[in-house]
């Protein structure tokens, strides 16, 4: 006789078997879902940005390697032709060295400076190739047209410092020292003085191009430059005092052409604005 009667109770011995059969029944009873026609989610923007950043970094690495190769090439050329250009650097001055390592420091400093100056056009070209895809059409056209002018102004500034500022300030300071001291000029101090009176002037002579670029993108106008003329002259005086030897003659020799370049920048920007206004009136 069944001890559980008609109550349809499950024997403890059969519980495990029933529990194992129930999931299979549920799976068989479950209807398969129709295939989804929803479109696949688009690629996240962050992944696209990461790929773009990686491409930019790869391009930057390529241009930096090219720049380093060009610089090292000119460094080797300059160092191997040391005896040829050395008299133009020394200018007949009697220099002394204060230690064996100062010879290496002198040759390395002047060779690296000359190599940088000779490789500058190539470096500008490599930088231009890197930044060109990210520039707007107006900015790219401006830099493409005025890059040669920027290089010429840089060379003009260095020539101004080499032929005018450096010899005048050097003779002035040496004459002041000879009044009360026995003057001995070390090679390291001389090359430091030469670099200080040439390279910064090459950078300052870029002022008209920088002003013209800011004007082309709407940041600067001739009227705004006229309004801040007094403060600009004060800033130029401070800059000329910082980048030149601590004597009044050198500062004055730098300040005068800087003021002339500032006025030239105002004139160029004003002419550009007048030409742009004339073109707009013709179109209207």
């Amino acid at each position: 006789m069944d001890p559980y009667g008609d109550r349809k109770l499950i024997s403890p011995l059969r519980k495990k078997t029933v529990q194992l059969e129930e999931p299979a029944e549920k799976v068989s009873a479950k209807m398969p879902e129709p295939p989804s026609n929803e479109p696949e989610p688009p690629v996240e923007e962050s992944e696209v940005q990461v790929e773009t950043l990686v491409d930019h970094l790869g391009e930057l690495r390529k241009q930096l390697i090219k720049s380093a190769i060009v610089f090292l090439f000119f460094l080797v050329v300059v160092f191997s032709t040391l005896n040829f250009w050395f008299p133009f650097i020394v200018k007949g001055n009697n220099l002394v060295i204060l230690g064996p390592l100062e010879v290496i420091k002198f040759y390395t400093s002047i060779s690296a400076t000359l190599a940088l100056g000779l490789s500058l056009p190539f470096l500008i070209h490599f930088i231009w190739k890197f930044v060109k895809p990210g520039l707007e059409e107006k900015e790219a056209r401006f830099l493409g047209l005025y890059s040669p002018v920027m290089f010429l102004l840089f060379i003009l500034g260095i020539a101004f410092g080499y032929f005018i500022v450096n010899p005048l300030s050097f003779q002035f300071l040496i004459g002041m020292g000879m009044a009360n001291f026995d003057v001995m000029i070390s090679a390291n101090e001389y090359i430091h003085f030469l670099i200080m009176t040439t390279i910064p002037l090459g950078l300052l002579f870029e002022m008209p191009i920088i002003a013209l670029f800011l004007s082309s993108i709407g940041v600067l106008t001739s009227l705004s430059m006229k309004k801040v003329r007094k403060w600009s002259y004060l800033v130029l005086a401070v800059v000329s005092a910082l980048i030149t030897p601590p004597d009044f003659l050198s500062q004055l020799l730098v300040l005068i052409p800087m003021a002339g370049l500032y006025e030239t920048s105002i004139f160029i920007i004003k002419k550009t604005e007048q030409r742009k206004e004339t073109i707009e009136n013709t179109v209207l």
Side-chain angles (χ1 to χ4, degrees):
M1 180 181 290
D2 187 358
Y4 296 96
D6 297 330
R7 289 178 292 177
K8 296 182 179 179
L9 298 175
I10 302 174
S11 172
L13 299 175
R14 298 184 58 195
K15 281 185 178 180
K16 294 182 179 180
T17 307
V18 174
Q19 290 176 355
L20 292 173
E21 293 175 354
E22 285 181 354
E25 294 176 357
K26 291 181 180 179
V27 171
S28 61
K30 189 176 180 180
M31 296 295 294
E33 295 182 358
S36 177
N37 295 326
E38 296 181 359
E40 296 181 358
V43 181
E44 296 183 0
E45 294 183 0
S46 59
E47 296 181 2
V48 178
Q49 292 177 356
V50 170
E51 292 179 359
T52 305
L53 178 60
V54 171
D55 294 339
H56 284 316
L57 291 177
E59 183 65 23
L60 177 61
R61 176 175 171 273
K62 185 192 302 183
Q63 302 303 333
L64 288 177
I65 292 175
K66 291 181 181 178
S67 302
I69 292 174
V70 171
F71 174 75
L72 291 175
F73 170 76
F74 280 110
L75 182 62
V76 172
V77 171
V78 170
F79 201 83
S80 60
T81 58
L82 181 67
N83 294 327
F84 174 75
W85 52 262
F86 186 77
F88 298 97
I89 300 298
V90 177
K91 299 180 180 180
N93 296 303
N94 295 321
L95 306 180
V96 298
I97 57 172
L98 305 178
L101 294 179
E102 189 169 349
V103 179
I104 302 299
K105 187 182 296 185
F106 176 84
Y107 289 154
T108 304
S109 299
I110 192 60
S111 298
T113 304
L114 291 176
L116 182 61
L118 293 174
S119 60
L120 188 62
F122 300 92
L123 301 182
I124 292 175
H125 176 70
F126 295 148
I127 295 173
W128 163 249
K129 289 183 66 176
F130 173 70
V131 302
K132 184 179 179 180
L135 296 176
E136 296 182 358
E137 183 180 357
K138 182 186 296 185
E139 298 170 347
R141 185 170 61 251
F142 178 88
L143 292 178
L145 290 175
Y146 289 97
S147 294
V149 180
M150 294 173 62
F151 178 70
L152 291 177
L153 286 176
F154 181 76
I155 297 300
L156 182 62
I158 291 179
F160 177 77
Y162 179 82
F163 291 105
I164 298 178
V165 177
N166 178 265
L168 290 178
S169 58
F170 183 81
Q171 294 299 329
F172 175 77
L173 293 174
I174 294 300
M176 183 183 298
M178 291 178 65
N180 298 299
F181 303 97
D182 293 330
V183 178
M184 296 180 64
I185 307 169
S186 68
N188 192 26
E189 290 297 326
Y190 176 81
I191 196 60
H192 177 71
F193 181 82
L194 180 62
I195 293 174
M196 187 172 60
T197 53
T198 52
I199 301 299
L201 290 177
L203 298 176
L204 286 177
F205 268 60
E206 304 290 341
M207 185 191 303
I209 301 299
I210 296 174
L212 193 58
F213 174 73
L214 295 177
S215 174
S216 65
I217 61 177
V219 177
L220 200 63
T221 62
S222 60
L223 184 61
S224 63
M225 292 186 68
K226 290 180 181 178
K227 288 182 179 180
V228 298
R229 178 184 278 135
K230 295 180 180 179
W231 295 104
S232 299
Y233 282 171
L234 178 61
V235 172
L236 291 176
V238 172
V239 172
S240 63
L242 291 175
I243 67 172
T244 54
D247 64 281
F248 177 74
L249 179 61
S250 300
Q251 297 172 8
L252 186 62
L253 288 174
V254 174
L255 181 59
I256 292 175
M258 289 301 101
L261 288 173
Y262 187 85
E263 296 298 329
T264 303
S265 303
I266 295 177
F267 177 77
I268 294 174
I269 292 176
K270 186 175 180 179
K271 290 296 182 182
T272 304
E273 292 173 347
Q274 291 176 353
R275 185 177 61 181
K276 186 183 299 183
E277 185 178 355
T278 303
I279 294 174
E280 291 178 353
N281 292 335
T282 305
V283 172
L284 294 176

